Amino acid sequence: MFLVFITVAFVIDVRLAKLPNKLTMCGTVIGIVLHTMNEGWEGLIFAFLGSGTGLVVVLFLYVIGALGAGDVKLFAAIGAFMGVAFVMQTLVYAILCAGIIGLILLLIQKQMRTTSEKLRGWLISICAYRQIDTLFELKHQKNIKFPFMYAVAPSVAVTWYYSLL
């Protein structure tokens, strides 16, 4: 069921560059219901903890403008299906994968120098001058965008693979 959900989310996000609420909310509810039916209270707690972890951790990335609201709800659904450890591993791999995709896009579009200068300025202002509000200014910058599912789908596969070992 989880693989069907991820596949549908991937196709929709690539085509529309948006994850509909119906999809993400249904994924979350199905994950919670399946775990509750199969494992009782322990399953319910497992699904709620996973969903809450996915939601809360990715919410920070939404607040600074790195991800959309659909991605936040997507990770809540992933957590409901697969639990805390899986959603956290998937998020780490997805961020790394998105970074690689972003670097490739910057190289292709020949914007590496401009972007690295902006990034250096942001890091200096955040780390040296402790201007945390700079994080929130990132949301209003013109950035290279791509469907986050390009990074999430392979990350789910890698996490799934390592969880089977």
Side-chain angles (χ1 to χ4, degrees), residues 20-52:
N21 288 338
K22 287 181 184 177
L23 174 69
T24 55
M25 294 303 170
C26 284
T28 304
V29 169
I30 290 169
I32 291 169
V33 168
L34 285 175
H35 280 288
T36 303
M37 286 175 39
N38 291 330
E39 303 152 31
W41 288 108
E42 287 181 19
L44 179 68
I45 292 168
F46 174 87
F48 267 120
L49 285 175
S51 182

